[in-house]
Amino acid sequence: MPDKLIASLFPALRGLALWLMAAGIAWMLAGCAGLPPRTPEAPTLSMAASPSTTLGRAAASLDAAHDGLSSIQPLVEASFALDARFELMRRAQASLDVQTYQLGNDKTGRLLLRELRDAARRGVRVRLLLDDFHTTGMDRLLLGLAAEPNAEVRLFNPFVNARDHSATRWLEFFGDFRRLNHRMHNKLFVADGAMAIAGGRNLADEYFLRSEGANFIDFELIMAGPVVPEAARIFDTYWNSDVVYPLQRIAGASGTPEALKSEFEAATSPAHAPPPDALLGTDLMGDPPLGAQLADIGRMKWMRADAHAAADSPNKALGTLAAPTESLAARFHEMTATARSDVVVISPYFIPGDEGMARIREGRERGVRISVITNSLADSDEPLVNINYNRYRVDMLKLGVNLYEVSTRQLKRNRQFRDLLKKARGRLHAKLALVDREWVLLGSMNLDPRSARLNTEFGVRVRSFELTQALLYAYQLDDIEGVYRVVLMPDGENVQWIGTGDVDNEVLDSEPDSSLLTRLQLLLFSWFVPTDQL
């Protein structure tokens, strides 16, 4: 019987061996290809807001007081956040600058690409800046957009060899680990230099509740006023940096521009990029869709707040920073260190490390109430991060930190989340901190070593009691549901999980919704992955 089994498997094994041999040969042949030499190029800069554009006039109407404050509106619901992007792209008349870590090769990503293409054909200057980690197999699609006269696509810290296959990309990743381990995690969207969207969402199905497998709970702001040119200047710094390359210099493609455009047209057609359902009514905050607001500019009412944008230098990808204190993580810690009464931290990945524990201890000694909301092990898309976070859980609880873990099981006991998630899993992806119910820090940065040391990040600091109250309401932070409350067991050395929401007497003594085998496997893997890589 074993001999027959081996014989039946032989063709498949032989095919696999031949593929690996061919891949290895291709890899060795391509190994000599590195990043192309840089050529002097004149920098291109953002276009300032103008009253000659619809969005420029809308931004000006929001800033009638000219008091130095910015206008902001929270984008809590994913469907309204996606719709806001469509409205900005369709109404843009001068420029669109889009920067993201991930653009999905899915219905959402393709639909957004088509809207950018349509804007370019109207004469809008389109600049799309992508981190290159998630672009496997997308070169021809992106080249189709770049074939438009008014559109340009650039890649941050790109892969060079065998770009169409994940396996060969991983070979290159480990072969050039020191360089490729640095990624651009920023998310920013600027339209006509007048309005911008910033926060945690990537541009893919799961960030807009359009995935059937798992979806993310996230947060963004749409902004107008002085904070927008600040954000636009940051985009320019990245766009013109030495670690960013034009797509055409990295991704060679056969065929004419007309052929690429034709392929793009087919790939982004409604068959592959169906539009979402039309929005009805208002969002959770009582705000109508952006299109309805822009249809009556004189009646637009956004929050007014002191808001400022900041980001890591793109040179962080070279392993260098002018000074550690200039990193976005350092600015975050400096801000939270000024807390007088309370800090609420929302982060999908949370590894405080020794330095973070020292800051938590110092804050608790000053009487600051600290609450942390993160993903449970079962609902994290990066479970190795969760295993490392677990190492600090007992110590945080001993210091009096209020600790909560998001769980699909608990989320679906909340009617609002149950209706939104349907059959999909729910995961936290928002990156937020609320300080003294006066300051809100938001953006792309997770509270883990990778965000602090390896990836570049973008963030916005807002001083607004009104925004803070809106977030407390939207995420039910004064009476949290959809999570497990983590507490110390009576022995003081282990933890247990208490359910919230409809069932408030559920008590678990082991990681919710995860098996012992899964926990052991992750623990084993964690021994081989340094914490500073997570």
Side-chain angles (χ1 to χ4, degrees):
M1 185 67 179
D3 292 338
K4 291 181 180 179
L5 179 62
I6 293 172
S8 67
L9 290 175
F10 182 75
L13 293 172
R14 181 176 61 184
L16 177 62
L18 290 173
W19 183 89
L20 290 173
M21 184 182 298
I25 293 171
W27 177 254
M28 287 186 291
L29 291 174
C32 59
L35 286 168
R38 302 209 64 90
T39 56
E41 294 181 74
T44 57
L45 302 177
S46 300
M47 297 183 184
S50 168
S52 65
T53 68
T54 299
L55 298 180
R57 289 191 295 274
S61 72
L62 290 167
D63 193 29
H66 299 291
D67 53 7
L69 300 180
S70 293
S71 298
I72 59 173
Q73 189 170 81
L75 294 172
V76 176
E77 292 188 47
S79 56
F80 281 77
L82 182 58
D83 181 75
R85 286 175 168 84
F86 290 146
E87 290 296 336
L88 292 178
M89 288 188 284
R90 292 165 186 169
R91 295 171 186 267
Q93 296 168 272
S95 64
L96 287 167
D97 294 333
V98 181
Q99 180 180 17
T100 189
Y101 171 62
Q102 181 185 1
L103 175 74
N105 191 6
D106 53 25
K107 55 182 180 288
T108 298
R110 293 185 178 213
L111 185 56
L112 288 164
L113 283 172
R114 189 178 185 90
E115 293 288 351
L116 290 173
R117 191 280 310 271
D118 291 349
R121 288 188 173 179
R122 294 196 315 269
V124 177
R125 187 191 71 178
V126 172
R127 297 190 294 176
L128 176 60
L129 175 55
L130 300 173
D131 182 83
D132 199 34
F133 194 77
H134 288 285
T135 61
T136 305
M138 293 183 68
D139 282 352
R140 293 191 68 82
L141 184 63
L142 296 172
L143 286 163
L145 173 62
E148 299 293 335
N150 292 316
E152 186 174 1
V153 181
R154 293 188 180 183
L155 303 175
F156 182 95
N157 201 17
F159 290 74
V160 180
N161 304 301
R163 295 177 48 80
D164 288 336
H165 303 285
S166 295
T168 47
R169 278 204 178 203
W170 279 111
L171 286 172
E172 181 172 0
F173 178 80
F174 290 112
D176 197 2
F177 182 79
R178 186 172 182 179
R179 177 177 72 86
L180 292 173
N181 192 37
H182 292 274
R183 308 311 323 168
M184 181 190 77
H185 198 235
N186 309 36
K187 291 98 176 176
L188 179 63
F189 188 108
V190 184
D192 283 353
M195 292 187 176
I197 296 175
R201 290 185 179 101
N202 289 301
L203 304 180
D205 285 347
E206 57 267 33
Y207 298 93
F208 297 98
L209 298 181
R210 304 187 78 202
S211 170
E212 296 180 358
N215 287 301
F216 290 110
I217 299 165
D218 220 319
F219 175 76
E220 293 171 304
L221 276 185
I222 183 168
M223 309 174 290
V227 69
V228 175
E230 287 183 6
R233 286 192 291 271
I234 291 170
F235 181 95
D236 288 343
T237 299
Y238 276 79
W239 184 258
N240 297 301
S241 72
D242 289 339
V243 288
V244 167
Y245 288 77
L247 171 67
Q248 292 92 333
R249 298 194 61 200
I250 298 297
S254 59
T256 64
E258 289 70 26
L260 290 169
K261 291 179 184 180
S262 178
E263 286 183 35
F264 183 95
E265 179 70 26
T268 61
S269 67
H272 299 286
D277 296 334
L279 295 180
L280 300 175
T282 60
D283 67 7
L284 183 64
M285 312 307 300
D287 296 314
L290 181 61
Q293 298 181 55
L294 291 171
D296 191 359
I297 291 175
R299 300 183 64 182
M300 290 179 69
K301 300 295 182 184
W302 290 11
M303 301 175 188
R304 299 285 290 166
D306 181 25
H308 296 280
D312 291 321
S313 165
N315 290 335
K316 191 177 181 182
L318 302 174
T320 60
L321 278 175
T325 55
E326 294 182 5
S327 72
L328 195 64
R331 297 179 189 184
F332 173 89
H333 296 313
E334 181 182 355
M335 184 72 230
T336 55
T338 65
R340 303 182 304 274
S341 58
D342 65 277
V343 174
V344 178
V345 171
I346 303 174
S347 179
Y349 319 122
F350 185 78
I351 303 177
D354 294 340
E355 293 180 4
M357 289 301 298
R359 284 188 288 267
I360 289 172
R361 187 174 295 105
E362 192 274 336
R364 292 294 298 135
E365 288 173 352
R366 290 190 291 110
V368 177
R369 184 176 185 271
I370 300 175
S371 301
V372 175
I373 305 170
T374 190
N375 278 314
S376 65
L377 173 61
D379 286 292
S380 175
D381 64 325
E382 296 287 353
L384 277 177
V385 173
N386 192 281
I387 287 291
N388 279 273
Y389 141 78
N390 291 354
R391 297 173 179 173
Y392 301 96
R393 202 159 42 190
V394 169
D395 289 340
M396 283 193 286
L397 292 171
K398 287 181 176 179
L399 289 172
V401 174
N402 301 303
L403 198 54
Y404 303 91
E405 295 181 5
V406 173
S407 154
T408 295
R409 182 177 175 183
Q410 288 294 314
L411 282 172
K412 290 188 176 181
R413 287 174 174 159
N414 177 292
R415 181 176 178 180
Q416 173 190 330
F417 287 118
R418 184 167 61 246
D419 292 343
L420 288 171
L421 293 172
K422 297 181 176 65
K423 294 182 180 180
R425 299 191 70 85
R427 293 168 171 165
L428 180 67
H429 196 260
K431 304 100 165 44
L432 279 167
L434 282 63
V435 180
D436 294 339
R437 304 201 173 202
E438 180 182 9
W439 293 90
V440 177
L441 310 177
L442 66 115
S444 67
M445 189 185 77
N446 298 301
L447 292 179
D448 58 17
R450 170 162 285 279
S451 284
R453 301 171 187 173
L454 299 174
N455 291 346
T456 69
E457 307 287 356
F458 178 92
V460 180
R461 184 185 78 238
V462 183
R463 186 174 189 176
S464 171
F465 176 78
E466 186 179 3
L467 177 61
T468 304
Q469 293 304 302
L471 291 173
L472 290 171
Y473 166 74
Y475 293 106
Q476 304 169 349
L477 296 179
D478 281 327
D479 186 17
I480 301 177
E481 294 184 3
V483 299
Y484 283 104
R485 182 163 59 93
V486 186
V487 300
L488 286 171
M489 283 186 174
D491 64 9
E493 297 300 329
N494 293 284
V495 303
Q496 57 187 186
W497 292 259
I498 300 177
T500 60
D502 296 336
V503 181
D504 58 5
N505 59 351
E506 180 184 25
V507 178
L508 302 176
D509 292 338
S510 60
E511 300 275 357
D513 304 323
S514 65
S515 67
L516 176 61
L517 178 60
T518 297
R519 297 194 294 273
L520 289 174
Q521 287 174 331
L522 289 171
L523 180 61
L524 176 63
F525 284 129
S526 70
W527 295 342
F528 300 97
V529 180
T531 299
D532 62 2
Q533 298 296 320
L534 299 171

